[in-house]
Amino acid sequence: AAAQRELIREHLWDETAGLFVNRWWNGSFYQRVTPTSFYALMAGAATDAQAEGMVRDWLLSPEHFCVAERGNFAGNHDDCYWGLPSIQRNDSAFPPLGYWRGYVWGPMAMLTYWSLRAYDHVPLVRTARKALCSQMAQMMLNMWRRHRHICENFNPHRNATDCSGTKFYHWGALAGMISMLEAGDD
């Protein structure tokens, strides 16, 4: 684990973007940013300053991952209202909403939650984790109250009227489970 953590630190931090990102075989950084960038936090690969910057500039940005600091959707665009799309909002692949490009997925929410929890000692990261829990629970409950659906994946648009994938899928509940973990039900 320590060796992998060091390799992540050494090879996947993009100083220009201020984020951990994938690399191409030629060593250049991949320009498509997804919530997987936050998973380096779960490995403990980031410094506290890097973690804070990633959260401030990416997770809490309405142009990127649309988690409002108070979990109240304030400042979010209608097309990225619920937060944590599977590709950042300002990527050209986001608007067409391909299966893995733009929808909100419960497993990504869970892994991002655990990643943020690893840096709970950083106040802004802790705030973002709580906001993520709030937005994901509200998103899941929105579909549950409307249709009694637990979505395979959720449409990030504010006015989405139903699931974008299978209508009752086990991992969709992870979007709400993080709030249970947050409340101490683990």
Side-chain angles (χ1 to χ4, degrees):
Q4 289 300 313
R5 187 172 23 259
E6 191 54 41
L7 288 169
I8 292 168
R9 279 186 191 129
E10 188 178 329
H11 297 289
L12 299 180
W13 178 255
D14 181 349
E15 189 65 43
T16 303
L19 194 67
F20 289 94
V21 294
N22 292 320
R23 283 186 174 245
W24 289 104
W25 61 269
N26 66 5
S28 65
F29 288 111
Y30 187 62
Q31 297 304 304
R32 293 235 141 92
V33 178
T34 72
T36 61
S37 291
F38 300 106
Y39 302 173
L41 300 178
M42 193 178 350
T47 65
D48 289 355
Q50 287 171 327
E52 184 173 344
M54 290 170 60
V55 164
R56 181 189 61 243
D57 299 337
W58 290 89
L59 189 64
L60 296 177
S61 168
E63 302 307 320
H64 298 293
F65 291 105
C66 317
V67 174
E69 192 167 339
R70 293 192 174 124
N72 61 359
F73 312 102
N76 285 355
H77 303 275
D78 283 350
D79 66 347
C80 189
Y81 184 75
W82 299 107
L84 202 68
S86 55
I87 194 166
Q88 66 170 317
R89 178 187 179 270
N90 69 358
D91 189 295
S92 61
F94 174 79
L97 290 174
Y99 188 65
W100 271 107
R101 292 200 176 162
Y103 292 124
V104 183
W105 294 80
M108 286 185 144
M110 177 63 82
L111 290 167
T112 301
Y113 171 80
W114 283 330
S115 298
L116 298 172
R117 197 162 75 171
Y119 283 77
D120 195 58
H121 60 279
V122 179
L124 186 63
V125 176
R126 183 175 47 253
T127 296
R129 187 192 74 238
K130 292 175 183 295
L132 175 69
C133 287
S134 176
Q135 285 185 215
M136 294 295 100
Q138 290 178 71
M139 175 190 68
M140 188 195 78
L141 287 171
N142 177 55
M143 285 300 140
W144 179 253
R145 289 178 179 137
R146 280 181 189 233
H147 305 292
R148 297 296 188 245
H149 291 161
I150 299 293
C151 303
E152 173 187 6
N153 54 61
F154 298 85
N155 191 313
H157 293 254
R158 181 180 194 159
N159 297 322
T161 58
D162 206 350
C163 300
S164 48
T166 303
K167 309 258 188 267
F168 206 79
Y169 205 81
H170 61 287
W171 70 31
L174 294 172
M177 185 175 167
I178 61 176
S179 291
M180 294 172 63
L181 294 174
E182 190 67 17
D185 293 334
D186 56 346

